[in-house]
């Protein structure tokens, strides 16, 4: 019996929470011992960060960062009245306030009075009654039937994000050393990444592609950006044979809160364009894979409807012949007339190419990539 208890893998939430606390305690002990030694150890730093992240993920998975709450009485009455008019019977309503600030509503629904409402209609009723936008989750049935089934609806972002990309390869290359990725890793959370491997061609592409893939997978799994960067950089820095430095420019965009986290390692500036005003987010850090201890710039910005995030690779700025390239690029951004992200990206790159001495032959001296992300109010 003792053997079964010792090796039983069906851990309860309490066991997992206890395990998370142990990991945190171990991380604190590592930190204390490192402070006592008064010497820098990059491997120890990386272990500490990773232990803390695993502990945080376990707590989040077990629901430690979520709590059950209740609807306001008037909101619930309005919702139930709207359901009744649409021929929907409801019971067992649960409202969960998630760690990311969004509400998740779970309830059992069935169609009555020979009605056939869709989950999209239900989401609309919830949005109107609760004065916030809700969306049906992927596992819901498309339509209600005469039996009670559980349906889950999630509060969604107030913004829609649209993206545009324009790129040119270095003259003579069919493969770009720039790698980009735009992915919604969870509902309302989008990762936009642009990595540039040193040099151009196949090897640079392979290195930059690896960094983007690893970062995306780590953030999708729930790791914070800092821990993900530490892990990837450690792997690259010890790879003395094949590893080459890679600049990384990443934006984690939360369309629910309208907040963007910018992470930059050796990357050129990122720009936020709002009406006639442009903000510059700069970095003075080294690329990933150069040092054992990674140094990165981390900036958080509040965004609003009709804001545009413009990310570029260094080849774009290098193509500008003026001495003050950033000042010249600001002038280009100010003169952009398009409001569509795709057309805006093409307009920016075409304008830069027109300034370049090599524009007639369309022969860039480096890979060039422009990514424009526009934020628009969700209707």
């Amino acid at each position: 019996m003792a053997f079964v208890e010792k090796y039983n893998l069906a851990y309860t939430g309490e066991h997992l929470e206890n395990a998370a606390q142990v990991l945190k305690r171990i991380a604190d002990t590592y930190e204390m011992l490192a402070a006592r030694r008064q010497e820098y150890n990059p491997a120890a730093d990386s272990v500490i960060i990773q232990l803390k992240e695993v502990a945080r993920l376990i707590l989040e998975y077990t629901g430690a960062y979520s709590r059950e709450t209740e609807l306001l009485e008037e909101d619930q009455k309005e919702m139930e009245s709207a359901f009744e008019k649409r021929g929907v019977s409801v019971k067992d309503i649960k409202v969960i306030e998630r760690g990311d600030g969004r509400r998740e509503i779970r309830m059992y629904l069935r169609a009555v009075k020979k009605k056939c409402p869709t989950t999209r209609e239900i989401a609309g009723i919830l949005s109107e009654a609760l004065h916030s936008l809700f969306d049906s989750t992927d596992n819901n049935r498309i339509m209600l039937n005469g039996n009670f089934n559980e349906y889950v609806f999630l509060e969604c972002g107030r913004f829609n994000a649209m993206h545009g990309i324009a790129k040119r390869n270095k003259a003579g290359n069919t493969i770009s050393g720039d790698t980009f990725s735009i992915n919604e890793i969870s509902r309302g959370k989008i990762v936009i990444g642009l990595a540039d491997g040193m040099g151009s061609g196949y090897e640079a592409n392979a290195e930059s592609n690896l960094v983007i893939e690893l970062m995306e997978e780590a953030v999708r799994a729930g790791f914070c950006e800092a821990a993900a960067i530490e892990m990837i950089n450690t792997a690259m820095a010890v790879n003395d044979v094949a590893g080459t430095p890679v600049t990384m420019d990443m934006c984690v965009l939360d369309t629910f809160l309208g907040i963007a986290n910018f992470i930059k390692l050796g990357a050129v500036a990122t720009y936020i364009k709002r009406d006639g005003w442009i903000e510059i987010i700069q970095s003075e850090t080294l690329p990933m894979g150069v040092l054992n201890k990674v140094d990165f710039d981390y900036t958080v910005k509040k965004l609003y409807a009709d804001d545009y995030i413009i990310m570029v690779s260094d080849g774009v700025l290098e193509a500008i012949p003026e001495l003050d390239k950033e000042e010249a690029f600001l002038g280009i951004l100010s003169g952009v007339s398009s409001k569509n992200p795709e057309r805006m990206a093409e307009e920016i790159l075409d304008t830069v190419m027109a300034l370049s001495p090599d524009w007639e032959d369309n022969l860039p001296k480096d890979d060039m990539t422009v990514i424009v992300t526009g934020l628009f109010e969700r209707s």
Side-chain angles (χ1 to χ4, degrees):
M1 182 66 178
F3 179 89
V4 173
E5 288 176 353
K6 184 177 179 180
Y7 294 97
N8 180 12
L9 299 180
Y11 289 114
T12 63
E14 184 180 351
H15 288 138
L16 288 171
E17 286 183 33
N18 289 340
Q21 296 302 334
V22 170
L23 288 173
K24 286 175 68 179
R25 180 68 185 275
I26 292 171
D28 291 341
T29 304
Y30 263 94
E31 217 162 16
M32 178 187 70
L33 293 173
R36 281 184 186 173
R37 284 195 304 269
Q38 294 184 337
E39 60 183 31
Y40 172 63
N41 185 335
D45 273 6
S46 184
V47 169
I48 289 166
I49 289 172
Q50 291 170 43
L51 283 172
K52 286 184 175 180
E53 269 302 286
V54 172
R56 183 185 68 79
L57 286 172
I58 291 173
L59 287 172
E60 191 169 300
Y61 178 78
T62 58
Y65 293 129
S66 299
R67 66 186 182 89
E68 195 167 331
T69 184
E70 292 182 358
L71 294 173
L72 294 173
E73 188 177 348
E74 55 267 32
D75 288 346
Q76 182 155 337
K77 284 181 178 177
E78 184 178 343
M79 181 184 72
E80 289 174 347
S81 173
F83 280 160
E84 188 178 353
K85 288 177 184 174
R86 187 62 188 88
V88 176
S89 180
V90 57
K91 68 176 184 178
D92 297 338
I93 301 170
K94 285 185 180 177
V95 183
I96 298 164
E97 193 173 283
R98 298 171 17 144
D100 59 8
R102 286 186 280 184
R103 287 176 294 176
E104 182 180 291
I105 297 182
R106 296 176 172 269
M107 53 190 167
Y108 283 84
L109 302 169
R110 73 180 179 94
V112 294
K113 301 177 183 176
K114 297 183 180 179
K115 301 282 186 179
C116 296
T118 65
T119 47
R120 185 174 180 180
E121 289 176 85
I122 300 299
I125 291 171
L126 285 175
S127 300
E128 191 171 338
L130 304 182
H131 316 291
S132 185
L133 291 169
F134 281 83
D135 204 357
S136 173
T137 56
D138 295 336
N139 292 330
N140 287 343
R141 297 166 182 264
I142 296 174
M143 299 184 71
L144 275 63
N145 56 31
N147 301 318
F148 273 112
N149 293 294
E150 186 181 36
Y151 294 85
V152 181
F153 297 87
L154 184 62
E155 199 167 13
C156 55
R158 40 177 301 225
F159 299 109
N160 275 325
M162 291 177 61
H163 312 280
I165 300 103
K167 36 182 331 195
R168 305 281 189 278
N169 291 353
K170 180 181 177 180
N173 285 349
T174 55
I175 297 174
S176 174
D178 296 346
T179 300
F180 69 89
S181 175
I182 301 170
N183 272 300
E184 188 169 23
I185 57 170
S186 63
R187 197 175 289 264
K189 192 171 186 179
I190 300 166
V191 172
I192 308 150
L194 175 59
D196 182 4
M198 295 296 104
S200 59
Y202 178 79
E203 187 177 340
N205 176 270
E207 294 289 346
S208 61
N209 195 56
L210 177 64
V211 168
I212 284 290
E213 282 183 1
L214 289 174
M215 273 300 298
E216 194 174 277
E217 287 172 15
V219 175
R220 187 191 301 275
F223 284 93
C224 76
E225 294 85 0
I229 288 169
E230 285 282 358
M231 290 187 289
I232 297 166
N233 184 76
T234 301
M236 291 190 67
V238 298
N239 184 10
D240 295 327
V241 178
T244 57
V246 177
T247 68
M248 193 191 69
D249 204 354
M250 177 167 280
C251 172
V252 181
L253 177 60
D254 188 326
T255 59
F256 175 69
L257 299 172
I259 288 176
N261 298 334
F262 296 93
I263 306 99
K264 303 177 80 65
L265 290 97
V268 296
T270 294
Y271 304 84
I272 299 174
K273 181 177 169 65
R274 179 182 302 147
D275 296 326
W277 174 80
I278 298 171
E279 183 173 1
I280 308 173
I281 300 168
Q282 291 179 313
S283 171
E284 297 180 357
T285 55
L286 290 171
M288 186 176 281
V290 175
L291 302 173
N292 287 330
K293 175 63 177 175
V294 67
D295 183 24
F296 60 91
D297 287 321
Y298 187 89
T299 308
V300 181
K301 291 293 178 183
K302 176 73 177 134
L303 300 178
Y304 302 91
D306 302 319
D307 279 0
Y308 295 88
I309 300 166
I310 297 133
M311 300 164 70
V312 299
S313 61
D314 60 358
V316 175
L317 292 182
E318 289 302 319
I320 299 173
E322 276 82 351
L323 245 114
D324 193 338
K325 298 177 185 299
E326 286 202 348
E327 188 64 31
F329 191 66
L330 281 174
I332 291 170
L333 294 183
S334 298
V336 170
S337 57
S338 177
K339 300 294 183 184
N340 176 281
E342 187 70 47
R343 288 198 292 271
M344 185 182 288
E346 287 291 348
E347 187 178 339
I348 291 168
L349 196 51
D350 286 345
T351 307
V352 170
M353 288 296 295
L355 292 173
S356 171
D358 306 312
W359 74 273
E360 287 183 347
D361 300 317
N362 196 27
L363 298 175
K365 293 181 178 178
D366 195 3
D367 300 312
M368 304 168 70
T369 305
V370 178
I371 302 174
V372 177
T373 300
L375 211 58
F376 305 99
E377 196 82 44
R378 190 189 289 263
S379 56

